Amino acid sequence: MALIAHRMSRLGTENAFKLGDDIQRCVDRGMDVIRFNLGAPDFRSAPHLNRIAWEALDAGRSSYCDPAGILSFRTAIADHVTRTRGVDVTPGRVVVTPGAKPPIGYTLQTYVDPGDEVVYPTPGFPIYESWVRFAGAVPVPLRLSDERDFAFTANDLAPLITPRTKVIILCSPSNPTGGVLSRDELAGIAGVIRDRCRPDVRIYADEIYEHILFDGLRHESIMSHPGMPERTVLASGHSKGFAMTGWRLGWAVLPTEEEAGIFKQININIVSCVPPFLQEAGQAAYEDPASAVEVEGMVREFEKRRNWIVPALNSITGLRCRTPKGAFYVFPDVSGVCRRLGIYRAYRELAESARGRTTPAGMLQMFLLYRYGVASMDRASFGRIGAEGQDFLRLSIANSIDDIRRGVSRIAEAADDRAGFADFVAGDDGRELFA
Ligand code: PLP
């Protein structure tokens, strides 16, 4: 009998957290590391929201509460969704979770049996693939390409739907690409789902970046299209839009109260509840007009940084970067840099087992970190299936413009440093990292 249950071998991870050890190693050596790897806004949670949490704590609201979430917060979420998606949502269909990550696992556990198929975007948030595998489901990656601005249409989705399809995951605005699905694209996608999917197929709409859109775009949701509210699990929360990643405030709207009851039951089994004093602040994020002002200020700042970084990256020979329409990431194609630095050759010369653990973009990622103090995420960190031959890096613009400028100039220097890369791969770090 093994110590660790077999299913644990199927559980994936989020490399953005794992990379912390490598970054710490570089920092311990005295390097100044620019953290383009982080998926957290570099803004603080708003003072008016912090104050509400403090006051609620001081008033003694520090015990267990309703495992589905306190009613006033669920009502605020239901009103927010009703207003922004144009559909009627009642608080009985809302479940508050510790962040927007848990509803991914809750959805896979609630709806998917081993052997069922789950369609999900790749590159995409790595936790989708992790949970699909953990649930014993069949992963059906929906490949996004930079030529299409990382969007997709009904024609891309239709061939992936089979009688075994159980869940279809959508994420817009997207991590890691910043791609955004337009109202027309969503209308087409909704049409295919209505035509081809049984009523018990669920759409998982991950809209955690709903507040972060550029160029005057408005957030569009699959939920707003006919036939979708009764099939959609809509998930979002406060981490990104309200710069509250450490608060762990998220939520899901379920198609029925019965399904919401199952999410509540999972909360009961794992977390009991989300702290009530945090939920009170979360409620004010939707109800106090000061929040919208904070959000707007942050989004305009991200937009300025995006406007600076995209042309700056495109001016580096070998880098090709699309202009993201939302979220706070850029996702350049780095294959030209991999060629310039001799990375493809170095990759081919690795032992087969080492090749299975990294990719050319992954080797560039480590070179940038260990030699130039620039932390980024490689394409394979956003779903391993479908990552072959795809060499991209994700850079987060949740950094000051000064750090962004310094980081880009380091990348430009690194992209010219063929001898430095050869030295890195042959040296102690390279040998250890790519063993
Ligand atoms: N979904 C996507 C697409 C994300 O990028 C993230 C965080 O990076 C999450 C969900 C998880 O959000 P939270 O931190 O609220 O759990």
Side-chain angles (χ1 to χ4, degrees):
M1 195 182 279
L3 170 65
I4 307 296
H6 291 304
R7 65 177 166 276
M8 293 314 291
S9 67
R10 299 198 304 268
L11 192 65
T13 189
E14 190 181 353
N15 285 346
F17 285 107
K18 272 182 69 187
L19 194 70
D21 293 343
D22 292 286
I23 294 173
Q24 193 53 49
R25 226 165 138 192
C26 294
V27 170
D28 291 345
R29 293 176 184 177
M31 286 176 78
D32 152 51
V33 177
I34 295 173
R35 293 164 205 243
F36 280 144
N37 59 310
L38 290 179
D42 56 319
F43 289 79
R44 292 185 175 193
S45 49
H48 68 285
L49 303 182
N50 298 345
R51 203 164 42 246
I52 288 172
W54 278 120
E55 284 169 5
L57 263 177
D58 283 342
R61 290 193 286 282
S62 54
S63 335
Y64 292 129
C65 62
D66 185 336
I70 59 175
L71 181 60
S72 56
F73 185 31
R74 285 188 288 121
T75 305
I77 295 165
D79 290 350
H80 165 71
V81 175
T82 300
R83 200 173 56 248
T84 51
R85 276 70 169 184
V87 289
D88 278 339
V89 171
T90 52
R93 286 169 51 200
V94 177
V95 178
V96 176
T97 50
K101 191 184 267 179
I104 301 168
Y106 290 14
T107 296
L108 270 288
Q109 285 172 301
T110 300
Y111 300 108
V112 173
D113 279 318
D116 290 349
E117 293 176 6
V118 177
V119 180
Y120 65 98
T122 188
F125 190 46
I127 301 307
Y128 306 147
E129 197 175 280
S130 171
W131 269 101
V132 170
R133 287 175 169 283
F134 194 65
V138 178
V140 182
L142 170 53
R143 289 162 208 263
L144 308 178
S145 76
D146 64 339
E147 288 94 39
R148 312 256 309 270
D149 257 350
F150 301 108
F152 65 94
T153 64
N155 291 339
D156 302 304
L157 176 63
L160 305 183
I161 296 172
T162 78
R164 294 229 46 113
T165 304
K166 195 65 201 298
V167 169
I168 298 172
I169 300 178
L170 306 178
C171 178
S172 176
S174 147
N175 175 11
T177 68
V180 168
L181 293 170
S182 68
R183 191 172 180 84
D184 284 352
E185 283 156 350
L186 285 165
I189 291 164
V192 162
I193 291 168
R194 275 193 308 270
D195 291 349
R196 305 242 182 144
C197 295
R198 293 182 317 273
D200 66 351
V201 171
R202 289 287 167 263
I203 316 306
Y204 184 81
D206 185 336
E207 300 186 3
I208 184 71
Y209 295 96
E210 63 177 288
H211 300 281
I212 307 176
L213 283 149
F214 308 135
D215 309 319
L217 288 177
R218 252 180 41 134
H219 178 62
E220 298 289 348
S221 173
I222 190 84
M223 183 100 155
S224 309
H225 294 269
M228 294 302 107
E230 53 268 46
R231 302 171 189 249
T232 302
V233 177
L234 172 66
S236 185
H238 291 49
S239 296
K240 315 292 178 171
F242 298 111
M244 294 169 88
T245 51
W247 289 59
R248 313 308 303 133
L249 275 177
W251 47 262
V253 174
L254 282 297
T256 61
E257 292 198 3
E258 184 196 351
E259 288 159 88
I262 295 175
F263 274 39
K264 172 176 173 173
Q265 194 183 349
I266 302 177
N267 263 354
I268 293 171
N269 273 270
I270 299 180
V271 293
S272 294
C273 64
V274 171
F277 48 93
L278 302 183
Q279 296 190 49
E280 287 188 38
Q283 180 183 332
Y286 292 125
E287 291 177 346
D288 187 330
S291 310
V293 177
E294 296 269 342
V295 174
E296 178 65 15
M298 181 179 76
V299 174
R300 294 293 72 85
E301 184 57 37
F302 286 147
E303 186 165 13
K304 269 195 237 155
R305 297 173 189 177
R306 177 207 66 167
N307 292 346
W308 186 85
I309 197 172
V310 171
L313 288 172
N314 279 323
S315 72
I316 299 173
T317 308
L319 268 184
R320 212 182 60 217
C321 185
R322 294 271 160 181
T323 304
K325 297 186 176 123
F328 43 75
Y329 309 107
V330 288
F331 196 65
D333 178 329
V334 294
S335 52
V337 173
C338 291
R339 248 188 313 279
R340 273 179 85 187
L341 294 180
I343 294 183
Y344 289 118
R345 184 157 165 213
Y347 178 74
R348 278 194 305 273
E349 286 171 359
L350 293 178
E352 196 182 330
S353 56
R355 277 203 304 272
R357 282 192 295 274
T358 189
T359 61
M363 294 179 83
L364 175 61
Q365 175 199 21
M366 288 302 167
F367 175 56
L368 288 173
L369 174 58
Y370 277 81
R371 289 293 173 98
Y372 283 87
V374 173
S376 60
M377 303 302 304
D378 69 331
R379 161 66 181 84
S381 298
F382 301 98
R384 276 209 82 89
I385 303 172
E388 312 79 35
Q390 299 277 305
D391 288 306
F392 291 81
L393 289 180
R394 187 194 78 175
L395 307 176
S396 162
I397 54 172
N399 278 288
S400 70
I401 190 76
D402 280 351
D403 278 356
I404 292 175
R405 284 177 201 272
R406 287 194 307 129
V408 170
S409 100
R410 290 183 193 182
I411 294 172
E413 215 185 308
D416 220 11
D417 188 6
R418 197 177 165 97
F421 179 74
D423 185 61
F424 167 68
V425 176
D428 289 349
D429 287 334
R431 282 209 310 275
E432 186 189 324
L433 288 163
F434 309 125

